Amino acid sequence: MDDTDVGERVARVEALLGQIESLPDRVAREAAMEMVQALLDLYGEGLARTIAPLDAETRRAVADDELVAHLLLLHDLHPVAVETRVHEALEGVRPYLDSHGGGVELIGVEDGVVRLRMFGSCDGCPSSAMTLKLAIEDAIHKAAPDVVEVEAEGVSAPAAPAGPTLLQLEVSDAVRGPDPAEGWATAGGLPELSGGGTLVKPVSGDRVLFIAIEDTYYAYRPACPGCSEELETATLTGAELACATCGQRFDIRRAGRCLDQPELYLEPVPLLVDDTGLVKVALGTRTAA
């Protein structure tokens, strides 16, 4: 059974549980739920006895499997503390944050709530802040689905009032839910960008501008904010993208900020590269610069 089969089986189990919970017969509903809970307790005990003789290193290796990790979490048996998993998730996403001019520091984890301190965020560009927000949520949710809430403190902005602000980073439906309109869409491996450059490619019905600079990928909506023309024929020089129609230049590494008219920005599309090298974008989220 591969990961796709596992995902389909999990979805089927959740659907069946939903049907049980909606049974009109209260006695039948409670009996069925009691049976489900009894089976969970039984399998949980079996899982606990299975991993009990294992040393710490072997338990950690076993928990690297996503399905096994979720089962261990379900029965409160995961060998790695949630704070450690969150820290590792942030380390994994840190190069992506750095490439967008942002950074993050883990303050602590308490009662399932992760508290972070964010800084940079591409000098306060709200579009970039949303990109970083989704990247952080996705990384934390994958590593620690038992996290209840994520809070980020100290998001900087040039025009913001003095003192830190508090930004709520709830784990969104775009990360959790199965709705493809709001989730992550796969763009593929993008071999056309193996040597760097630009590519406008349709993904789930939306045209997306992909840019590769020194093995780092960026994604933007393809319309130029200066003239509204598509940037498919734009010229990339280093990290500077120039519109072929109006000549406006944009700094790709700095959230698409226009170098000629600083009030203009390209519209970033949240992008992540998964463990297999596939590029994914969150098309359900549109942000205004």
Side-chain angles (χ1 to χ4, degrees):
M1 185 182 295
D2 60 22
D3 288 346
T4 300
D5 294 329
V6 169
E8 292 174 352
R9 189 66 58 87
V10 169
R12 178 59 179 160
V13 168
E14 291 178 347
L16 290 172
L17 284 173
Q19 292 177 23
I20 291 175
E21 291 175 344
S22 61
L23 286 173
D25 187 324
R26 183 180 61 82
V27 175
R29 182 175 65 250
E30 291 179 354
M33 293 305 296
E34 184 178 353
M35 180 190 68
V36 170
Q37 187 59 56
L39 285 173
L40 282 174
D41 292 343
L42 183 62
Y43 284 119
E45 178 62 23
L47 187 59
R49 295 185 184 190
T50 300
I51 67 171
L54 305 180
D55 58 38
E57 183 176 353
T58 304
R59 290 188 187 188
R60 177 63 185 262
V62 167
D64 285 340
D65 181 274
E66 186 175 359
L67 174 60
V68 176
H70 279 274
L71 291 174
L72 292 170
L73 287 168
L74 179 64
H75 297 286
D76 198 24
L77 295 171
H78 201 289
V80 182
V82 63
E83 184 166 342
T84 300
R85 285 182 278 128
V86 169
H87 176 77
E88 292 175 351
L90 294 178
E91 287 302 307
V93 81
R94 198 176 301 281
Y96 176 73
L97 302 181
D98 290 343
S99 73
H100 283 69
V104 64
E105 176 188 354
L106 178 62
I107 298 174
V109 182
E110 186 175 354
D111 297 329
V113 178
V114 175
R115 295 191 68 243
L116 308 172
R117 180 177 294 110
M118 292 180 64
F119 48 90
S121 297
C122 294
D123 296 333
C125 168
S127 296
S128 180
M130 177 61 71
T131 301
L132 304 191
K133 170 181 181 288
L134 287 175
I136 292 170
E137 284 181 348
D138 185 73
I140 290 177
H141 178 63
K142 284 181 178 178
D146 44 336
V147 165
V148 177
E149 212 174 351
V150 180
E151 296 178 352
E153 177 184 299
V155 179
S156 62
T165 59
L166 187 65
L167 177 65
Q168 183 68 36
L169 300 185
E170 68 281 359
V171 178
S172 65
D173 290 338
V175 176
R176 291 186 182 274
D179 186 349
E182 297 183 351
W184 294 88
T186 300
L190 302 184
E192 304 93 331
L193 297 179
S194 59
T198 68
L199 171 70
V200 174
K201 176 178 179 177
V203 181
S204 296
D206 285 7
R207 289 174 68 77
V208 180
L209 170 64
F210 293 96
I211 302 169
I213 302 173
E214 297 179 356
D215 297 324
T216 298
Y217 291 101
Y218 303 84
Y220 293 92
R221 302 283 178 178
C224 172
C227 65
S228 300
E229 293 296 320
E230 191 170 86
L231 292 165
E232 186 169 15
T233 58
T235 302
L236 181 67
T237 305
E240 187 178 299
L241 186 76
C243 176
T245 302
C246 67
Q248 298 282 359
R249 299 170 302 138
F250 304 92
D251 190 337
I252 297 306
R253 286 199 174 107
R254 304 297 293 178
R257 171 179 290 176
C258 184
L259 298 173
D260 304 298
Q261 298 185 56
E263 70 276 10
L264 297 180
Y265 283 88
L266 297 176
E267 182 180 350
V269 175
L271 177 150
L272 291 172
V273 181
D274 69 15
D275 294 338
T276 65
L278 292 178
V279 175
K280 297 183 179 182
V281 288
L283 296 171
T285 300
R286 297 193 71 97
T287 56

